[in-house]
């Protein structure tokens, strides 16, 4: 540094400060020779480092962190071998609208310019192969050729605006290069709504909804990404407004709320009353939805999308009219104004025959405490045990399709990945989610096959002092694939593990372990976890090989 060092900051330090300004206080990843200088600068600037067992786990952890932190997530990998290991996790973040900043330490600018044949390259002199790969699953890609703080800013703005992953390549010789510190005093110019578009939307909503006494909102995962939960809760308090959620947005609105219709997935909807109200709504508003196969019950939804109102990030559609330049939160605010201003007879808000009344607590039939466990016993037992304010993380497959039928207590969240559906995601995502919101009670339910993909990060979870309750569903293989085709095929089998010995084998003998083969044993194991909230617990839940939740059977049947 020069005598004017108080006016400059290293490029790595600048990136760390910008991430912190946007609510991201840590990075996940692994070191490699091309990113070591960058890591030194990030940590020196106050960014917390969480090293993971591999880069895929880092990507999943950054995804879980971003979702629960309601901010950016960040991972740092080295060039080539490191960044490629993270690709699956980045693709999942793209599919599920999660803003993850993937920072890659690259070979020095001189080596790139001279096309030097280096390790971790394809030894053809072209060092942009992997950048091009990343471009297919990133909202924006920037590879720095000079210490350009403005380029860093523009990329972070893109990440926030798109709620998608972005890629930042930093050559090793630029990580310590000085940039202007004064730029940090100016907040990033995050995207706002176009005032003229807002006025156009207000007029269009008022015209369409002025005489509609009964309105149904179908909410999707993009509502979460744009922090719209509180706004939806305010809308639910308006007379005549009801709210259903796609499977990806379960518990967006407390399930005890009288306006909550439950989860909707076309013909796969668990409650026919919910399906009838969504499909038959006089005014149906799609809020941040994704109309993909599983989320629509394999396109069995009974409403015509062209006849709905749709509010998405940057876009509103009313019938055939599209209005661009409106952010989702602003659109929800306008909707609130318009619905409050309606002039309709209050009697028209009254319940009609066939309306769903799902919010009151339900009575669950207690399973035979001594009978062998089945899914019919596992999920009611878990539902009775869950407490308010819990984060339930549910793995794709058996766990997710059991979890979405639960009646969750108030202020709970359900974290899953139903669009990308990459098994193994949730174990590292639990790491990121718990570090994002320290102290929150967290329960992970994961199948044995999925857990084997990313089990290394179980050690990372314990090493960071986190205390989740982990239910490993041992059903001896890949259940959903068995339900779809060839249940006896060799490729459906997995290696049998001693799950209760695993924490000690990873170096953490203090973790509570138990094995449940009956409802009574499962209830006892869950109660033991409750009694020791400062201790992590792993419960092996043994169910028959071909047993499955009803919704999973329906999904498999649709695929088949």
């Amino acid at each position: 540094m020069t005598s004017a060092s108080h006016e400059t900051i290293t490029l790595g330090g600048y990136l760390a400060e910008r991430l912190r300004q946007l609510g991201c206080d840590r990075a996940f990843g692994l070191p490699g020779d091309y990113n070591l200088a960058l890591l030194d600068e990030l940590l020196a600037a106050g960014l917390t480092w969480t090293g993971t067992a591999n880069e895929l786990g880092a990507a999943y952890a950054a995804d879980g962190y971003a979702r629960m932190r309601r901010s950016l997530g960040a991972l740092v990998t080295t060039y080539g071998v490191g960044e490629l290991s993270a690709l699956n996790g980045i693709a999942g973040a793209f599919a599920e609208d999660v803003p993850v900043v993937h920072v890659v330490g690259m070979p020095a600018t001189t080596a790139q310019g001279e096309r030097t044949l280096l390790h971790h390259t394809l030894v053809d002199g072209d060092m942009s192969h992997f950048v091009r790969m990343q471009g297919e699953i990133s909202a924006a890609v920037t590879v720095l050729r000079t210490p350009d703080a403005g380029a860093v800013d523009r990329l972070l703005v893109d990440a926030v605006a798109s709620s998608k992953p972005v890629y930042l390549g930093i050559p090793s010789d630029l990580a310590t290069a000085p940039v202007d510190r004064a730029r940090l005093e100016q907040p990033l110019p995050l995207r706002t709504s176009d005032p003229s578009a807002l006025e156009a939307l207000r007029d269009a909503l008022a015209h369409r909804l002025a005489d509609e006494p009964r309105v149904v909102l179908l909410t999707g995962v993009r509502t979460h990404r744009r922090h719209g939960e509180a706004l939806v809760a305010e809308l639910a308090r308006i007379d005549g407004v009801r709210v259903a959620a796609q499977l990806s947005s379960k518990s967006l609105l407390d399930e005890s709320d009288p306006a909550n219709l439950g989860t909707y997935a076309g013909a796969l909807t668990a409650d026919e009353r919910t399906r009838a109200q969504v499909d038959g709504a006089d005014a149906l508003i799609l809020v941040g939805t994704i109309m993909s196969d599983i989320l629509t019950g394999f396109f069995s939804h009974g409403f015509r999308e062209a006849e709905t109102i749709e509010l998405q990030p940057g876009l509103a559609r009313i019938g055939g009219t599209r209005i661009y330049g409106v952010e989702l939160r602003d659109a929800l605010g306008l909707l609130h104004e318009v619905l409050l201003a309606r002039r309709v007879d209050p009697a028209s808000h009254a319940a009609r025959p066939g309306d769903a009344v799902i919010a009151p607590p339900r009575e669950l039939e207690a399973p035979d405490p001594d009978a062998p466990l089945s899914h019919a016993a596992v999920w009611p037992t878990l539902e009775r045990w869950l407490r308010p304010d819990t984060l339930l993380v549910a793995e794709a497959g058996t766990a997710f399709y059991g979890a979405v039928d639960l009646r969750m207590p108030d202020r709970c969240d359900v974290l899953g990945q139903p669009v990308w559906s990459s098994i193994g995601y949730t174990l590292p995502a639990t790491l990121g989610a718990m570090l994002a919101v320290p102290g929150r009670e967290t329960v992970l339910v994961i199948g044995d096959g999925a857990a084997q993909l990313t089990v290394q990060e179980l050690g990372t979870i314990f090493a960071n002092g986190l205390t989740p309750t982990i239910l490993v569903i041992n059903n001896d293989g890949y259940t959903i694939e068995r339900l779809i085709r060839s249940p006896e095929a060799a490729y459906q089998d997995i290696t049998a593990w001693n799950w209760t010995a695993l924490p000690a084998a990873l170096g953490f003998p203090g973790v509570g372990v138990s094995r449940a083969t009956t409802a009574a044993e499962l209830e006892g194991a869950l109660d033991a976890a409750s009694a020791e909230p400062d201790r992590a617990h792993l419960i092996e839940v043994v169910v028959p090989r071909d047993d499955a939740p009803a919704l999973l059977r329906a999904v498999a049947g649709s695929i088949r």
Side-chain angles (χ1 to χ4, degrees):
M1 291 290 184
T2 68
S3 60
S5 60
H6 64 284
E7 298 176 355
T8 64
I9 186 172
T10 66
L11 181 66
Y14 184 92
L15 172 61
E17 290 291 344
R18 279 302 198 199
L19 288 172
R20 285 158 55 90
Q21 288 177 1
L22 293 171
C24 177
D25 66 357
R26 74 176 58 234
F28 301 86
L30 274 76
D33 55 347
Y34 293 127
N35 70 15
L36 296 178
L38 173 62
L39 290 178
D40 284 342
E41 296 305 318
L42 293 174
L43 272 59
L47 209 63
T48 300
W49 175 249
T50 301
T52 54
N54 59 49
E55 290 87 358
L56 177 60
Y60 286 154
D63 178 302
Y65 176 95
R67 294 189 194 212
M68 302 315 300
R69 186 80 171 186
R70 304 293 196 263
S71 74
L72 300 177
L75 75 150
V76 183
T77 65
T78 197
Y79 175 78
V81 294
E83 62 182 306
L84 295 186
S85 293
L87 279 180
N88 184 32
I90 298 300
F94 191 96
E96 303 239 346
D97 287 78
V98 184
V100 172
V101 181
H102 186 184
V103 185
V104 177
M106 302 185 73
T109 52
T110 52
Q112 293 190 53
E114 295 172 3
R115 299 171 62 87
T116 308
L117 302 185
L118 299 175
H119 63 287
H120 297 341
T121 75
L122 299 184
V123 291
D124 63 354
D126 182 353
M127 297 188 193
S128 61
H129 289 295
F130 314 132
V131 177
R132 293 194 294 273
M133 293 180 190
Q134 299 274 1
E136 293 295 316
I137 53 173
S138 302
V141 170
T142 296
V143 175
L144 298 180
R145 304 302 179 192
T146 61
D148 186 351
V152 173
D153 287 351
R154 290 189 293 274
L155 189 73
L156 295 180
V157 169
D158 285 340
V160 174
S162 66
S163 193
K164 299 277 190 182
V166 297
Y167 177 96
L168 177 60
I170 300 181
S172 57
D173 57 322
L174 296 186
T176 58
V179 296
D180 183 6
R181 180 187 290 271
R183 291 184 63 96
L184 293 170
E185 298 174 6
Q186 299 298 320
L188 292 178
L190 301 181
R191 187 175 297 174
T192 58
S193 295
D194 180 342
S196 62
L198 286 175
E199 286 303 315
L201 179 59
R202 178 184 283 107
D203 293 343
L205 288 174
H207 178 75
R208 173 65 181 84
L209 299 173
D211 300 319
E212 288 288 357
R214 298 157 61 82
V215 174
V216 174
L217 309 183
L218 178 58
T219 58
V221 71
R222 289 170 177 154
T223 313
H224 284 287
R225 303 293 182 264
R226 288 345 193 258
H227 313 158
E229 297 93 335
L231 294 168
V232 170
E234 288 293 328
L235 285 163
R237 296 188 179 97
I238 300 174
D239 287 342
V241 175
R242 298 291 183 267
V243 179
Q246 292 190 301
L247 298 178
S248 55
S249 296
K250 181 179 173 63
S251 293
L252 185 145
L253 180 68
D254 282 346
E255 294 182 69
S256 65
D257 193 305
N260 194 326
L261 298 177
T263 54
Y264 173 88
L268 301 182
T269 304
D271 195 309
E272 280 298 321
R273 298 169 299 174
T274 301
R275 185 182 180 190
Q277 284 219 42
V278 173
D279 286 346
D282 297 329
L284 178 62
I285 304 176
L286 309 179
V287 183
T289 53
I290 296 175
M291 303 301 287
S292 64
D293 54 357
I294 289 175
L295 299 185
T296 60
F298 294 88
F299 311 108
S300 62
H301 51 293
F303 57 85
R304 288 173 52 84
E305 292 176 56
E307 296 174 356
T308 65
I309 296 171
E310 185 175 8
L311 305 179
Q312 294 284 4
L315 167 68
R317 179 188 54 75
I318 302 178
T321 302
R322 294 174 177 265
I323 302 171
Y324 294 93
V326 178
E327 294 304 304
L328 184 56
R329 284 177 55 85
D330 293 335
L332 289 172
L334 285 182
L335 180 61
H336 190 272
E337 293 177 21
V338 168
L339 292 179
L340 281 180
R342 290 173 302 162
R343 295 183 179 181
V344 295
D345 183 354
S348 63
H349 297 148
R352 301 173 182 172
D355 279 0
V357 183
I358 301 173
R362 60 182 174 183
E363 294 295 327
L364 295 172
E365 182 178 347
D368 182 342
D370 299 317
L373 267 179
S374 66
H375 283 283
V378 168
W379 298 104
T381 301
L382 181 60
E383 180 172 321
R384 284 191 297 271
W385 175 79
L386 286 170
R387 292 177 291 274
D389 299 297
T390 297
L391 170 62
L392 176 63
V393 188
E395 179 63 52
T398 303
F400 184 79
Y401 293 105
V404 293
D405 276 343
L406 297 178
R407 182 71 57 80
M408 299 294 294
D410 287 353
R411 301 179 304 282
C412 286
D413 283 310
V414 177
L415 174 57
Q417 200 196 43
V419 176
W420 189 240
S421 291
S422 180
I423 64 170
Y425 160 78
T426 56
L427 208 158
T430 297
L431 166 68
M434 295 189 74
L435 291 173
V437 188
R440 187 176 192 184
E441 182 169 5
T442 301
V443 178
L444 166 63
V445 188
I446 186 169
D448 51 355
Q452 288 189 3
L453 268 73
T454 53
V455 73
Q456 307 98 313
E457 304 308 345
L458 196 61
T460 315
I461 288 173
F462 298 150
N464 277 273
L466 304 175
T467 58
T469 299
I470 301 171
L471 280 67
V472 177
I473 299 178
N474 183 346
N475 52 14
D476 197 23
Y478 300 119
T479 296
I480 186 169
E481 283 78 10
R482 282 191 165 118
L483 292 173
I484 294 169
R485 183 182 176 92
S486 305
E488 303 302 328
Y491 55 73
Q492 308 286 21
D493 299 331
I494 64 172
T495 302
W497 284 9
N498 184 341
W499 289 101
T500 56
L502 186 59
L506 293 172
F508 299 92
V511 172
V513 295
S514 54
R515 189 171 191 266
T517 61
T518 67
E521 290 174 350
L522 177 57
E523 187 172 349
L526 291 171
D527 288 342
S530 293
E532 299 179 309
D534 296 329
R535 185 185 186 197
H537 286 260
L538 186 150
I539 305 169
E540 180 185 4
V541 181
V542 182
V543 296
R545 191 199 77 168
D546 297 318
D547 189 31
L551 181 56
L552 183 63
R553 291 187 180 278
V555 168
S558 297
I559 296 173
R560 186 170 61 243

